[in-house]
mmCIF file of all heavy atoms in Angstrom:
data_model
loop_
_atom_site.group_PDB
_atom_site.id
_atom_site.type_symbol
_atom_site.label_atom_id
_atom_site.label_comp_id
_atom_site.label_asym_id
_atom_site.label_seq_id
_atom_site.Cartn_x
_atom_site.Cartn_y
_atom_site.Cartn_z
ATOM 1 N N ARG A 64 -10.490 34.148 -49.834
ATOM 2 C CA ARG A 64 -9.796 34.154 -48.552
ATOM 3 C C ARG A 64 -8.737 35.266 -48.446
ATOM 4 O O ARG A 64 -8.044 35.369 -47.439
ATOM 5 C CB ARG A 64 -9.132 32.793 -48.306
ATOM 6 C CG ARG A 64 -10.103 31.631 -48.145
ATOM 7 C CD ARG A 64 -11.096 31.860 -46.994
ATOM 8 N NE ARG A 64 -10.441 32.331 -45.793
ATOM 9 C CZ ARG A 64 -9.899 31.535 -44.866
ATOM 10 N NH1 ARG A 64 -9.959 30.220 -45.018
ATOM 11 N NH2 ARG A 64 -9.336 32.045 -43.780
ATOM 12 N N GLY A 65 -8.608 36.067 -49.501
ATOM 13 C CA GLY A 65 -7.683 37.181 -49.437
ATOM 14 C C GLY A 65 -6.225 36.784 -49.511
ATOM 15 O O GLY A 65 -5.346 37.456 -48.967
ATOM 16 N N ILE A 66 -5.945 35.686 -50.186
ATOM 17 C CA ILE A 66 -4.578 35.199 -50.338
ATOM 18 C C ILE A 66 -4.278 35.094 -51.831
ATOM 19 O O ILE A 66 -5.158 34.786 -52.628
ATOM 20 C CB ILE A 66 -4.413 33.838 -49.617
ATOM 21 C CG1 ILE A 66 -2.951 33.398 -49.574
ATOM 22 C CG2 ILE A 66 -5.281 32.774 -50.229
ATOM 23 C CD1 ILE A 66 -2.730 32.146 -48.720
ATOM 24 N N THR A 67 -3.042 35.357 -52.222
ATOM 25 C CA THR A 67 -2.660 35.313 -53.630
ATOM 26 C C THR A 67 -2.434 33.874 -54.074
ATOM 27 O O THR A 67 -1.759 33.110 -53.391
ATOM 28 C CB THR A 67 -1.365 36.119 -53.855
ATOM 29 O OG1 THR A 67 -1.616 37.483 -53.504
ATOM 30 C CG2 THR A 67 -0.920 36.040 -55.312
ATOM 31 N N ALA A 68 -2.997 33.513 -55.213
ATOM 32 C CA ALA A 68 -2.749 32.194 -55.807
ATOM 33 C C ALA A 68 -1.944 32.382 -57.091
ATOM 34 O O ALA A 68 -2.244 33.262 -57.894
ATOM 35 C CB ALA A 68 -4.059 31.473 -56.114
ATOM 36 N N PHE A 69 -0.894 31.585 -57.253
ATOM 37 C CA PHE A 69 -0.137 31.608 -58.495
ATOM 38 C C PHE A 69 0.442 30.227 -58.723
ATOM 39 O O PHE A 69 0.180 29.295 -57.958
ATOM 40 C CB PHE A 69 0.923 32.711 -58.499
ATOM 41 C CG PHE A 69 2.094 32.492 -57.582
ATOM 42 C CD1 PHE A 69 3.342 32.152 -58.091
ATOM 43 C CD2 PHE A 69 1.968 32.660 -56.200
ATOM 44 C CE1 PHE A 69 4.434 31.988 -57.258
ATOM 45 C CE2 PHE A 69 3.051 32.493 -55.362
ATOM 46 C CZ PHE A 69 4.289 32.148 -55.881
ATOM 47 N N SER A 70 1.230 30.064 -59.778
ATOM 48 C CA SER A 70 1.655 28.718 -60.145
ATOM 49 C C SER A 70 3.022 28.706 -60.810
ATOM 50 O O SER A 70 3.526 29.740 -61.266
ATOM 51 C CB SER A 70 0.637 28.085 -61.092
ATOM 52 O OG SER A 70 0.980 26.737 -61.393
ATOM 53 N N SER A 71 3.585 27.506 -60.876
ATOM 54 C CA SER A 71 4.759 27.225 -61.701
ATOM 55 C C SER A 71 4.258 26.539 -62.967
ATOM 56 O O SER A 71 3.772 25.404 -62.902
ATOM 57 C CB SER A 71 5.730 26.279 -60.982
ATOM 58 O OG SER A 71 6.316 26.901 -59.872
ATOM 59 N N PRO A 72 4.356 27.198 -64.112
ATOM 60 C CA PRO A 72 3.989 26.529 -65.364
ATOM 61 C C PRO A 72 5.186 25.759 -65.904
ATOM 62 O O PRO A 72 6.335 26.115 -65.629
ATOM 63 C CB PRO A 72 3.631 27.701 -66.282
ATOM 64 C CG PRO A 72 4.520 28.814 -65.798
ATOM 65 C CD PRO A 72 4.705 28.616 -64.308
ATOM 66 N N PHE A 73 4.915 24.732 -66.691
ATOM 67 C CA PHE A 73 6.005 23.909 -67.211
ATOM 68 C C PHE A 73 6.032 23.829 -68.731
ATOM 69 O O PHE A 73 6.931 23.196 -69.285
ATOM 70 C CB PHE A 73 5.939 22.510 -66.590
ATOM 71 C CG PHE A 73 6.284 22.508 -65.118
ATOM 72 C CD1 PHE A 73 5.332 22.842 -64.172
ATOM 73 C CD2 PHE A 73 7.570 22.213 -64.691
ATOM 74 C CE1 PHE A 73 5.656 22.863 -62.811
ATOM 75 C CE2 PHE A 73 7.893 22.240 -63.342
ATOM 76 C CZ PHE A 73 6.943 22.559 -62.401
ATOM 77 N N ASP A 74 5.049 24.472 -69.363
ATOM 78 C CA ASP A 74 5.091 24.547 -70.819
ATOM 79 C C ASP A 74 4.137 25.641 -71.276
ATOM 80 O O ASP A 74 3.470 26.288 -70.468
ATOM 81 C CB ASP A 74 4.743 23.200 -71.464
ATOM 82 C CG ASP A 74 3.254 22.890 -71.454
ATOM 83 O OD1 ASP A 74 2.555 23.330 -70.503
ATOM 84 O OD2 ASP A 74 2.772 22.222 -72.389
ATOM 85 N N ARG A 75 4.074 25.849 -72.603
ATOM 86 C CA ARG A 75 3.256 26.928 -73.156
ATOM 87 C C ARG A 75 1.774 26.761 -72.807
ATOM 88 O O ARG A 75 1.092 27.748 -72.481
ATOM 89 C CB ARG A 75 3.426 26.974 -74.682
ATOM 90 C CG ARG A 75 2.555 28.021 -75.360
ATOM 91 C CD ARG A 75 2.802 28.072 -76.854
ATOM 92 N NE ARG A 75 4.130 28.595 -77.134
ATOM 93 C CZ ARG A 75 4.412 29.895 -77.215
ATOM 94 N NH1 ARG A 75 3.457 30.796 -77.000
ATOM 95 N NH2 ARG A 75 5.636 30.283 -77.486
ATOM 96 N N THR A 76 1.278 25.545 -72.872
ATOM 97 C CA THR A 76 -0.149 25.355 -72.591
ATOM 98 C C THR A 76 -0.478 25.724 -71.142
ATOM 99 O O THR A 76 -1.569 26.228 -70.859
ATOM 100 C CB THR A 76 -0.576 23.901 -72.870
ATOM 101 O OG1 THR A 76 0.166 23.007 -72.030
ATOM 102 C CG2 THR A 76 -0.338 23.540 -74.324
ATOM 103 N N ALA A 77 0.452 25.500 -70.239
ATOM 104 C CA ALA A 77 0.240 25.878 -68.845
ATOM 105 C C ALA A 77 0.177 27.399 -68.704
ATOM 106 O O ALA A 77 -0.675 27.936 -67.991
ATOM 107 C CB ALA A 77 1.356 25.308 -67.977
ATOM 108 N N VAL A 78 1.068 28.098 -69.392
ATOM 109 C CA VAL A 78 1.050 29.566 -69.347
ATOM 110 C C VAL A 78 -0.268 30.087 -69.922
ATOM 111 O O VAL A 78 -0.876 31.020 -69.369
ATOM 112 C CB VAL A 78 2.257 30.153 -70.103
ATOM 113 C CG1 VAL A 78 2.179 31.680 -70.151
ATOM 114 C CG2 VAL A 78 3.561 29.708 -69.456
ATOM 115 N N GLU A 79 -0.719 29.495 -71.016
ATOM 116 C CA GLU A 79 -1.984 29.929 -71.624
ATOM 117 C C GLU A 79 -3.147 29.753 -70.655
ATOM 118 O O GLU A 79 -4.010 30.641 -70.530
ATOM 119 C CB GLU A 79 -2.229 29.148 -72.915
ATOM 120 C CG GLU A 79 -1.251 29.510 -74.028
ATOM 121 C CD GLU A 79 -1.343 28.580 -75.227
ATOM 122 O OE1 GLU A 79 -2.065 27.542 -75.124
ATOM 123 O OE2 GLU A 79 -0.700 28.865 -76.252
ATOM 124 N N LEU A 80 -3.178 28.633 -69.945
ATOM 125 C CA LEU A 80 -4.230 28.405 -68.955
ATOM 126 C C LEU A 80 -4.152 29.444 -67.845
ATOM 127 O O LEU A 80 -5.164 30.036 -67.455
ATOM 128 C CB LEU A 80 -4.096 26.999 -68.371
ATOM 129 C CG LEU A 80 -4.990 26.705 -67.148
ATOM 130 C CD1 LEU A 80 -6.462 26.726 -67.532
ATOM 131 C CD2 LEU A 80 -4.615 25.370 -66.506
ATOM 132 N N LEU A 81 -2.973 29.667 -67.335
ATOM 133 C CA LEU A 81 -2.804 30.590 -66.211
ATOM 134 C C LEU A 81 -3.102 32.032 -66.608
ATOM 135 O O LEU A 81 -3.626 32.808 -65.798
ATOM 136 C CB LEU A 81 -1.388 30.460 -65.639
ATOM 137 C CG LEU A 81 -1.118 29.122 -64.959
ATOM 138 C CD1 LEU A 81 0.381 28.929 -64.708
ATOM 139 C CD2 LEU A 81 -1.891 29.003 -63.645
ATOM 140 N N GLU A 82 -2.815 32.383 -67.844
ATOM 141 C CA GLU A 82 -3.164 33.725 -68.305
ATOM 142 C C GLU A 82 -4.681 33.905 -68.338
ATOM 143 O O GLU A 82 -5.197 34.972 -67.995
ATOM 144 C CB GLU A 82 -2.564 33.982 -69.688
ATOM 145 C CG GLU A 82 -1.098 34.384 -69.654
ATOM 146 C CD GLU A 82 -0.899 35.704 -68.933
ATOM 147 O OE1 GLU A 82 -1.215 36.771 -69.502
ATOM 148 O OE2 GLU A 82 -0.423 35.680 -67.772
ATOM 149 N N LYS A 83 -5.418 32.857 -68.728
ATOM 150 C CA LYS A 83 -6.885 32.933 -68.724
ATOM 151 C C LYS A 83 -7.420 33.132 -67.314
ATOM 152 O O LYS A 83 -8.483 33.725 -67.113
ATOM 153 C CB LYS A 83 -7.470 31.661 -69.328
ATOM 154 C CG LYS A 83 -7.242 31.524 -70.822
ATOM 155 C CD LYS A 83 -7.794 30.203 -71.349
ATOM 156 C CE LYS A 83 -7.513 30.052 -72.836
ATOM 157 N NZ LYS A 83 -7.981 28.729 -73.357
ATOM 158 N N LEU A 84 -6.681 32.623 -66.326
ATOM 159 C CA LEU A 84 -7.092 32.757 -64.930
ATOM 160 C C LEU A 84 -6.549 34.036 -64.300
ATOM 161 O O LEU A 84 -6.750 34.280 -63.111
ATOM 162 C CB LEU A 84 -6.598 31.547 -64.128
ATOM 163 C CG LEU A 84 -7.214 30.199 -64.509
ATOM 164 C CD1 LEU A 84 -6.505 29.072 -63.782
ATOM 165 C CD2 LEU A 84 -8.704 30.191 -64.206
ATOM 166 N N ASP A 85 -5.869 34.865 -65.109
ATOM 167 C CA ASP A 85 -5.278 36.117 -64.639
ATOM 168 C C ASP A 85 -4.303 35.872 -63.484
ATOM 169 O O ASP A 85 -4.326 36.570 -62.470
ATOM 170 C CB ASP A 85 -6.370 37.107 -64.204
ATOM 171 C CG ASP A 85 -5.847 38.532 -64.101
ATOM 172 O OD1 ASP A 85 -4.832 38.838 -64.766
ATOM 173 O OD2 ASP A 85 -6.432 39.320 -63.332
ATOM 174 N N ALA A 86 -3.441 34.869 -63.651
ATOM 175 C CA ALA A 86 -2.414 34.599 -62.639
ATOM 176 C C ALA A 86 -1.571 35.852 -62.440
ATOM 177 O O ALA A 86 -1.149 36.486 -63.409
ATOM 178 C CB ALA A 86 -1.527 33.441 -63.089
ATOM 179 N N PRO A 87 -1.295 36.233 -61.185
ATOM 180 C CA PRO A 87 -0.606 37.501 -60.931
ATOM 181 C C PRO A 87 0.904 37.450 -61.101
ATOM 182 O O PRO A 87 1.549 38.492 -61.189
ATOM 183 C CB PRO A 87 -0.973 37.789 -59.471
ATOM 184 C CG PRO A 87 -1.136 36.434 -58.860
ATOM 185 C CD PRO A 87 -1.736 35.576 -59.939
ATOM 186 N N MET A 88 1.502 36.251 -61.113
ATOM 187 C CA MET A 88 2.945 36.120 -61.269
ATOM 188 C C MET A 88 3.266 34.674 -61.630
ATOM 189 O O MET A 88 2.391 33.801 -61.581
ATOM 190 C CB MET A 88 3.687 36.538 -59.998
ATOM 191 C CG MET A 88 3.225 35.867 -58.729
ATOM 192 S SD MET A 88 4.001 36.636 -57.281
ATOM 193 C CE MET A 88 2.934 36.086 -55.956
ATOM 194 N N TYR A 89 4.538 34.434 -61.974
ATOM 195 C CA TYR A 89 4.955 33.101 -62.384
ATOM 196 C C TYR A 89 6.219 32.685 -61.649
ATOM 197 O O TYR A 89 7.118 33.486 -61.414
ATOM 198 C CB TYR A 89 5.208 33.059 -63.899
ATOM 199 C CG TYR A 89 3.935 33.158 -64.702
ATOM 200 C CD1 TYR A 89 3.548 34.371 -65.263
ATOM 201 C CD2 TYR A 89 3.109 32.054 -64.859
ATOM 202 C CE1 TYR A 89 2.367 34.477 -65.981
ATOM 203 C CE2 TYR A 89 1.920 32.142 -65.578
ATOM 204 C CZ TYR A 89 1.560 33.363 -66.134
ATOM 205 O OH TYR A 89 0.387 33.450 -66.827
ATOM 206 N N LYS A 90 6.266 31.416 -61.292
ATOM 207 C CA LYS A 90 7.442 30.837 -60.644
ATOM 208 C C LYS A 90 8.091 29.851 -61.614
ATOM 209 O O LYS A 90 7.423 28.965 -62.158
ATOM 210 C CB LYS A 90 7.017 30.122 -59.348
ATOM 211 C CG LYS A 90 7.977 29.052 -58.825
ATOM 212 C CD LYS A 90 9.142 29.629 -58.059
ATOM 213 C CE LYS A 90 10.113 28.524 -57.610
ATOM 214 N NZ LYS A 90 9.544 27.582 -56.648
ATOM 215 N N ILE A 91 9.380 30.000 -61.828
ATOM 216 C CA ILE A 91 10.139 29.048 -62.629
ATOM 217 C C ILE A 91 10.767 28.043 -61.677
ATOM 218 O O ILE A 91 11.545 28.405 -60.793
ATOM 219 C CB ILE A 91 11.237 29.756 -63.453
ATOM 220 C CG1 ILE A 91 10.629 30.855 -64.332
ATOM 221 C CG2 ILE A 91 12.012 28.740 -64.279
ATOM 222 C CD1 ILE A 91 9.615 30.363 -65.335
ATOM 223 N N ALA A 92 10.424 26.778 -61.835
ATOM 224 C CA ALA A 92 10.944 25.730 -60.957
ATOM 225 C C ALA A 92 12.431 25.508 -61.234
ATOM 226 O O ALA A 92 12.934 25.799 -62.328
ATOM 227 C CB ALA A 92 10.171 24.431 -61.175
ATOM 228 N N SER A 93 13.122 24.972 -60.247
ATOM 229 C CA SER A 93 14.567 24.792 -60.366
ATOM 230 C C SER A 93 14.965 23.993 -61.607
ATOM 231 O O SER A 93 15.905 24.361 -62.321
ATOM 232 C CB SER A 93 15.110 24.087 -59.113
ATOM 233 O OG SER A 93 15.121 24.951 -58.006
ATOM 234 N N SER A 94 14.276 22.915 -61.873
ATOM 235 C CA SER A 94 14.652 22.065 -63.006
ATOM 236 C C SER A 94 14.390 22.737 -64.350
ATOM 237 O O SER A 94 14.908 22.298 -65.372
ATOM 238 C CB SER A 94 13.907 20.732 -62.938
ATOM 239 O OG SER A 94 14.326 19.976 -61.821
ATOM 240 N N GLU A 95 13.599 23.813 -64.350
ATOM 241 C CA GLU A 95 13.277 24.522 -65.585
ATOM 242 C C GLU A 95 14.140 25.765 -65.791
ATOM 243 O O GLU A 95 13.912 26.527 -66.729
ATOM 244 C CB GLU A 95 11.793 24.900 -65.595
ATOM 245 C CG GLU A 95 10.862 23.810 -66.101
ATOM 246 C CD GLU A 95 10.977 22.508 -65.315
ATOM 247 O OE1 GLU A 95 10.985 22.560 -64.062
ATOM 248 O OE2 GLU A 95 11.046 21.435 -65.932
ATOM 249 N N ILE A 96 15.121 26.001 -64.923
ATOM 250 C CA ILE A 96 15.910 27.229 -65.030
ATOM 251 C C ILE A 96 16.689 27.300 -66.342
ATOM 252 O O ILE A 96 17.016 28.382 -66.829
ATOM 253 C CB ILE A 96 16.855 27.391 -63.814
ATOM 254 C CG1 ILE A 96 17.390 28.827 -63.752
ATOM 255 C CG2 ILE A 96 17.980 26.363 -63.846
ATOM 256 C CD1 ILE A 96 18.111 29.145 -62.451
ATOM 257 N N THR A 97 16.963 26.156 -66.942
ATOM 258 C CA THR A 97 17.665 26.161 -68.227
ATOM 259 C C THR A 97 16.712 26.175 -69.420
ATOM 260 O O THR A 97 17.160 26.216 -70.574
ATOM 261 C CB THR A 97 18.597 24.941 -68.342
ATOM 262 O OG1 THR A 97 17.832 23.744 -68.166
ATOM 263 C CG2 THR A 97 19.707 25.000 -67.297
ATOM 264 N N ASP A 98 15.405 26.163 -69.146
ATOM 265 C CA ASP A 98 14.408 26.230 -70.232
ATOM 266 C C ASP A 98 14.148 27.707 -70.533
ATOM 267 O O ASP A 98 13.130 28.284 -70.147
ATOM 268 C CB ASP A 98 13.122 25.515 -69.807
ATOM 269 C CG ASP A 98 12.129 25.352 -70.961
ATOM 270 O OD1 ASP A 98 12.323 26.005 -72.013
ATOM 271 O OD2 ASP A 98 11.160 24.601 -70.794
ATOM 272 N N LEU A 99 15.097 28.322 -71.218
ATOM 273 C CA LEU A 99 15.020 29.765 -71.461
ATOM 274 C C LEU A 99 13.799 30.161 -72.293
ATOM 275 O O LEU A 99 13.215 31.227 -72.046
ATOM 276 C CB LEU A 99 16.314 30.260 -72.104
ATOM 277 C CG LEU A 99 17.591 30.008 -71.285
ATOM 278 C CD1 LEU A 99 18.787 30.694 -71.951
ATOM 279 C CD2 LEU A 99 17.435 30.469 -69.847
#
C-alpha cells in the first residue's frame, strides 16, 4: 500500500524479529525511556 510499517520493540527478542523483517526505524515507548 506504499505506507511505512515499523514498531515499538520491548525487548531483545522483539528487536531480533523486527531486524529480520527489515524494520526501517524503531520507536521507544514512554514507559521504556529508562530502559537504556
